[in-house]
Amino acid sequence: MRILHTMLRVGDLDKSIAFYTEVLGMCLLRQKDYPKGEFTLAFLGYGNEAENTAIELTYNWGKSDYQIGTGFGHIAINVADVSQAVEVAKQLGVEVIRDAGPMNAGETMVAFLKDPDGYEIELLSKKF
């Protein structure tokens, strides 16, 4: 297992991309609009996602601001099999927020758990 990305909700995607690329020297690795879900995802980092952790910026269309604390989304962990990982988590008494299934407006298999402090952890099976 390894950490894939940390997600932050942003109110101005272009401004945020400029900050992470120009101020912090990251590269825009990929970006995609999800019209059915009315959001855009942009992944930034210091190298190929197959070998490096990234920052996921989520822009929810029409939402321009968040309070600090509500902007944090989740930590993503790559697992071999999302359904199997969820079953193990359930057996260990972990709260499952979203059972294994395709992501909203996409096809990637995902699930969400809560850590002991209530932080969301996304599990996904992703081949690089």
Side-chain angles (χ1 to χ4, degrees):
M1 294 186 187
R2 71 180 182 91
I3 294 175
L4 296 177
H5 64 260
T6 297
M7 185 270 263
L8 301 172
R9 291 183 179 91
V10 299
D12 184 329
L13 186 58
D14 292 332
K15 187 175 181 178
S16 294
I17 290 172
F19 172 82
Y20 286 96
T21 57
E22 297 171 16
V23 175
L24 299 180
M26 292 183 184
C27 296
L28 177 61
L29 304 171
R30 59 190 169 99
Q31 182 173 333
K32 184 174 179 181
D33 292 330
Y34 291 87
K36 287 183 182 178
E38 298 187 346
F39 63 92
T40 301
L41 301 181
F43 290 82
L44 298 98
Y46 296 109
N48 184 315
E49 289 178 83
E51 300 171 357
N52 296 279
T53 302
I55 297 287
E56 172 190 340
L57 302 180
T58 298
Y59 172 66
N60 293 300
W61 301 355
K63 178 83 172 157
S64 62
D65 65 305
Y66 293 92
Q67 294 180 12
I68 297 299
T70 62
F72 177 79
H74 60 265
I75 296 171
I77 306 293
N78 194 31
V79 297
D81 182 311
V82 174
S83 296
Q84 181 182 15
V86 168
E87 288 309 310
V88 169
K90 286 179 181 178
Q91 290 173 7
L92 294 171
V94 172
E95 182 178 350
V96 176
I97 303 166
R98 181 189 188 279
D99 223 332
M103 71 174 271
N104 179 21
E107 298 176 11
T108 303
M109 293 296 289
V110 301
F112 282 84
L113 312 175
K114 273 194 181 177
D115 83 352
D117 293 299
Y119 291 106
E120 293 186 14
I121 308 297
E122 178 184 27
L123 303 177
L124 63 139
S125 294
K126 188 168 187 114
K127 308 239 185 296
F128 294 96

